[in-house]
Amino acid sequence: MGDQELIQELRQGNESAFRWLVENYRNRVFHTALNILQDAREAEDAAQETFIKVFESAAQFRGESSLSTWIYRITVHKSLDKIRRRKSRERLHRIMPWWMPDEKKSNEPEFHHPGVAAENKEKAAILFEAIASLPEKQRIAFTLIKVQGMRYEEACEILEQNTKAVESLVNRAKLNLQKKLADYYATVRHTDQ
């Protein structure tokens, strides 16, 4: 099914077209959200919210970008919304811990990406923690380009930035990660000797 045909079917509320969309984009949407959120449960929620938004907004799709780019853009926005809500809840919990006593604390267990081999889990957890600490735009650009392996052209469309801006974000992210990970790698080198 082509993009235009799929959008037409979604605009008409065709449930089989929606099922086709979910089946064909589910893994990509979930992994994009997972790489941004670093929480499988939140990534699943963000993926569901993305598909609902796509279905409800099909009439607004103008075709200025590819359907996949539009879906990725929605996924990124839904993931960022979840991060912002998480940060707001954490701030509220710090101010009034008695109000939400069962709320999950910010010292969550380390994130382990399901695609990382067991022997690399510790290194990956440290890397993902460093990525999570990057400024938002750097984190998203780095995640799309370096973690997901997306082409710069598509990432530029998703982020609605030109190539130079995205390259700059990725380069700054790399520099920040090098600084953040320098101590870890110095310690690893020292213990290996």
Side-chain angles (χ1 to χ4, degrees):
M1 185 178 298
D3 285 1
Q4 291 306 315
E5 182 184 353
L6 178 59
I7 287 295
Q8 260 327 103
E9 294 294 322
L10 291 173
R11 286 177 178 156
Q12 295 171 8
N14 184 321
E15 288 183 30
S16 63
F18 181 68
R19 273 194 298 280
W20 187 92
L21 172 84
V22 172
E23 287 299 317
N24 284 280
Y25 284 92
R26 176 182 23 217
N27 289 337
R28 288 179 275 180
V29 167
F30 173 75
H31 285 100
T32 300
L34 181 63
N35 286 327
I36 294 169
L37 293 165
Q38 299 184 9
D39 181 295
R41 189 180 50 221
E42 283 192 343
E44 187 64 41
D45 288 348
Q48 289 176 7
E49 291 172 16
T50 296
F51 288 118
I52 291 167
K53 176 75 172 174
V54 168
F55 187 73
E56 292 175 344
S57 303
Q60 284 84 40
F61 179 69
R62 297 183 303 270
E64 295 171 354
S65 63
S66 70
L67 179 63
S68 63
T69 297
W70 183 58
I71 293 169
Y72 275 125
R73 190 176 297 139
I74 292 170
T75 305
V76 168
H77 287 291
K78 291 296 180 186
S79 299
L80 291 176
D81 287 346
K82 289 207 163 292
I83 289 171
R84 289 180 191 114
R85 276 184 260 150
R86 182 191 311 158
K87 287 180 179 176
S88 293
R89 292 187 72 78
E90 286 173 358
R91 277 194 302 272
L92 191 57
H93 189 263
R94 279 194 304 272
I95 295 168
M96 298 183 286
W98 49 267
W99 188 45
M100 300 180 293
D102 297 331
E103 193 72 19
K104 185 166 70 170
K105 306 276 190 289
S106 62
N107 56 351
E108 301 166 12
E110 294 177 338
F111 167 68
H112 295 290
H113 194 286
V116 176
E119 61 271 9
N120 293 323
K121 293 259 187 228
E122 180 188 341
K123 290 177 186 174
I126 290 166
L127 175 61
F128 278 110
E129 184 179 324
I131 292 170
S133 70
L134 291 171
E136 184 177 284
K137 288 183 180 183
Q138 289 179 26
R139 180 176 66 241
I140 300 305
F142 185 85
T143 298
L144 294 176
I145 300 289
K146 297 298 182 182
V147 177
Q148 298 219 185
M150 193 175 284
R151 293 182 346 267
Y152 271 91
E153 298 80 27
E154 189 171 15
C156 289
E157 285 187 54
I158 291 167
L159 297 170
E160 300 177 287
Q161 300 278 328
N162 64 41
T163 304
K164 292 279 187 206
V166 174
E167 287 173 348
S168 176
L169 288 169
V170 171
N171 287 332
R172 285 188 310 215
K174 284 196 261 184
L175 290 172
N176 284 331
L177 287 172
Q178 286 172 348
K179 290 176 192 172
K180 291 173 188 297
L181 297 172
D183 290 339
Y184 170 75
Y185 284 109
T187 304
V188 168
R189 273 189 227 114
H190 181 70
T191 58
D192 287 344
Q193 294 176 353

